[in-house]
Amino acid sequence: MQNLLVTGGCGYIGSHTALLLLEKGYTVYIIDSNCNSNPFVINKLKKIIMKKDKQLAKNLIFFKGDLRKKKDIERIFEYSKHNNKIIEAVVHLAGFKSVNESMKYPLMYWDSNLIGTINLLKVMQKYLCYNLIFSSSATIYSCLENKLIDENFPIKPINPYGNTKRCIETLLEDIYKSEKAKWKIINLRYFNPIGAHHSGDIGEDPNGIPNNLFPLILQVASSKLRELKIFGNNWDTRDGTCIRDYIHILDLANAHIAAFEYLSKTKSQIINFNIGTGKGTSVLELINTFKNVNKIKLPYSFTSRREGDQKYIVADNSRALSTLNWKPLKSLEDMCRDGWKWQLKNPNGYIDN
Ligand SMILES: NC(=O)c1ccc[n+]([C@@H]2O[C@H](COP(=O)([O-])OP(=O)(O)OC[C@H]3O[C@@H](n4cnc5c(N)ncnc54)[C@H](O)[C@@H]3O)[C@@H](O)[C@H]2O)c1
């Protein structure tokens, strides 16, 4: 397999994944509505890849389109067919991702995440493309203990965003069962990707005030926000703040390459992988590492717990380590250093460029 479609390829995870795929010599089609991204990222990707090899930049083909419109997806598959570079596999990342927003606007989340996926699957079937890597999330797990989460942990999301991810996984299970000989499906359950490409040329560029901790840290560090609000200091953890499994965005992006290479040589199946480092870091530990590595102040204060939060979400990543040709290589220090480099180089995200 040589030609892939990355849905949501202008976004945070999509842009880093597309870059690594291009570096490996694959043809990468991207479809993105840019509802939470800037199309300028395509120029950035071309610029980075051209430094390596001018020819590779030609392998990046961008279509602006919305997965909620089936025609938009058909257009790109049709194009790939006409150009004799038919899409053979899809990395499906397009969707909304904020837990808080999903609690305010559940319909918007169900519409984009579910309808978008249903349309994509219909078009994939029409064009006989049966290879899929889906961006699922650790938010589908219900974790009440301070225990590593493996793929067999109970699935019990506690917010609409997590519900859409669980529902899509169920849909994929059904699709697989209906044509077992054809489909190869991998659900990658991401933990907490942070940081940026080491060049500092691409990174996370959220619209408005971000919801996730790391982009908030970047905004406080660059004085866009006065201080960081930490939700709760009375959790049953080593320092009272929540513990998460932070993974460098390039390690996460690399998991897609490994998953794709696994799909290419394996028999039809559906399989889930946790993509995390297996190491838990508390909010205070992340803040302190960021401060020390980048020699910068980060004012913070504590506020009450946030609805829908869980105290401890850390991956047991042993299935991914033993099955995929992959392991996370970067440290928490690398994540903090590379994320800050992106922020310094692009203080207003992609808008300035
Ligand atoms: N970032 C995380 O911490 C995290 C964790 C777990 C899972 N995920 C999942 O990974 C995927 C990518 O996350 P991200 O952090 O890169 O988010 P992102 O918002 O940066 O990227 C998503 C991209 O999809 C596009 N998009 C959204 N709806 C679309 C639609 N209907 N049609 C076409 N394009 C659309 C957006 O414009 C954006 O470019 C999401 O599905 C998210 O739920 C992310």
Side-chain angles (χ1 to χ4, degrees):
M1 287 192 282
Q2 194 57 33
N3 313 314
L4 296 96
L5 170 65
V6 179
T7 75
C10 294
Y12 177 46
I13 298 172
S15 53
H16 290 81
T17 302
L19 181 62
L20 298 190
L21 287 167
L22 288 165
E23 283 177 349
K24 285 260 174 184
Y26 295 114
T27 295
V28 178
Y29 296 88
I30 286 180
I31 182 168
D32 200 303
S33 65
N34 299 126
C35 64
N36 195 38
S37 55
N38 188 319
F40 192 81
V41 72
I42 299 294
N43 294 351
K44 283 280 189 129
L45 290 176
K46 288 196 171 164
K47 227 162 108 183
I48 302 173
I49 200 75
M50 273 168 89
K51 280 188 199 151
K52 191 170 168 153
D53 179 343
K54 277 193 176 157
Q55 290 305 315
L56 293 180
K58 289 188 189 141
N59 295 341
L60 175 59
I61 302 150
F62 172 54
F63 277 66
K64 184 158 174 151
D66 192 322
L67 296 196
R68 286 171 298 185
K69 297 182 196 148
K70 203 156 129 266
K71 275 202 175 127
D72 286 2
I73 313 171
E74 275 168 342
R75 198 159 54 101
I76 193 161
F77 271 86
E78 200 52 36
Y79 176 92
S80 78
K81 196 171 147 191
H82 274 299
N83 286 280
N84 268 336
K85 282 192 165 186
I86 181 93
I87 294 165
E88 294 150 299
V90 177
V91 179
H92 177 33
L93 300 154
F96 291 129
K97 65 166 179 180
S98 157
V99 167
N100 284 352
E101 198 181 52
S102 79
M103 293 196 285
K104 273 194 214 143
Y105 309 109
L107 260 183
M108 188 171 102
Y109 270 67
W110 281 100
D111 185 37
S112 183
N113 294 3
L114 201 71
I115 304 298
T117 305
I118 290 173
N119 284 339
L120 176 68
L121 291 168
K122 283 182 182 168
V123 178
M124 285 176 72
Q125 273 186 328
K126 179 172 165 188
Y127 287 86
L128 310 176
C129 174
Y130 294 102
N131 300 300
L132 176 69
I133 297 170
F134 171 59
S135 60
S136 192
S137 168
T139 46
I140 63 173
Y141 294 116
S142 155
C143 183
L144 299 173
E145 310 290 321
N146 288 0
K147 258 193 198 164
L148 293 186
I149 299 173
D150 69 20
E151 287 84 354
N152 297 321
F153 234 71
I155 303 292
K156 211 171 166 208
I158 55 171
N159 52 61
Y161 165 66
N163 283 334
T164 66
K165 291 290 180 190
R166 177 189 52 185
C167 187
I168 292 167
E169 282 201 10
T170 308
L171 167 63
L172 295 178
E173 190 84 44
D174 288 346
I175 289 276
Y176 168 71
K177 281 184 195 149
S178 71
E179 288 180 297
K180 274 192 180 166
K182 289 185 180 164
W183 282 97
K184 295 183 187 179
I185 299 173
I186 293 184
N187 295 313
L188 295 182
R189 295 174 177 164
Y190 311 144
F191 281 64
N192 292 69
I194 60 170
H197 188 262
H198 45 76
S199 64
D201 286 332
I202 54 170
E204 186 166 17
D205 182 19
N207 283 344
I209 295 181
N211 281 303
N212 291 347
L213 178 60
F214 197 75
L216 281 169
I217 288 180
L218 294 182
Q219 296 219 344
V220 174
S222 52
S223 304
K224 285 188 181 163
L225 293 175
R226 207 168 50 82
E227 65 169 12
L228 198 62
K229 296 251 182 273
I230 301 178
F231 299 108
N233 59 353
N234 56 355
W235 295 90
D236 173 23
T237 59
R238 52 186 174 258
D239 61 17
T241 63
C242 288
I243 292 184
R244 294 289 178 271
D245 184 336
Y246 297 101
I247 176 167
H248 194 289
I249 183 66
L250 282 183
D251 279 331
L252 186 100
N254 253 319
H256 296 78
I257 314 296
F260 176 63
E261 287 170 355
Y262 173 77
L263 265 194
S264 306
K265 56 178 197 257
T266 192
K267 59 180 182 13
S268 53
Q269 61 182 295
I270 181 164
I271 185 163
N272 309 315
F273 290 110
N274 285 342
I275 303 300
T277 61
K279 289 182 205 131
T281 302
S282 74
V283 174
L284 285 176
E285 286 163 350
L286 179 61
I287 290 174
N288 287 330
T289 307
F290 190 92
K291 277 183 3 188
N292 294 338
V293 166
N294 296 312
K295 315 237 172 317
I296 194 152
K297 287 188 183 145
L298 266 182
Y300 62 80
S301 65
F302 292 105
T303 179
S304 48
R305 291 180 181 191
R306 188 169 55 169
E307 198 191 336
D309 262 350
Q310 300 191 61
K311 67 175 171 181
Y312 183 92
I313 307 179
V314 181
D316 174 340
N317 61 3
S318 46
R319 181 185 287 175
L321 295 185
S322 62
T323 315
L324 303 174
N325 182 20
W326 173 83
K327 72 171 180 202
L329 299 172
K330 299 207 181 237
S331 65
L332 196 66
E333 284 77 11
D334 295 328
M335 302 175 211
C336 292
R337 193 179 301 114
D338 292 343
W340 186 228
K341 187 172 181 186
W342 148 256
Q343 178 69 35
L344 286 177
K345 258 185 138 174
N346 307 271
N348 297 314
Y350 291 112
I351 288 161
D352 257 1
N353 296 286

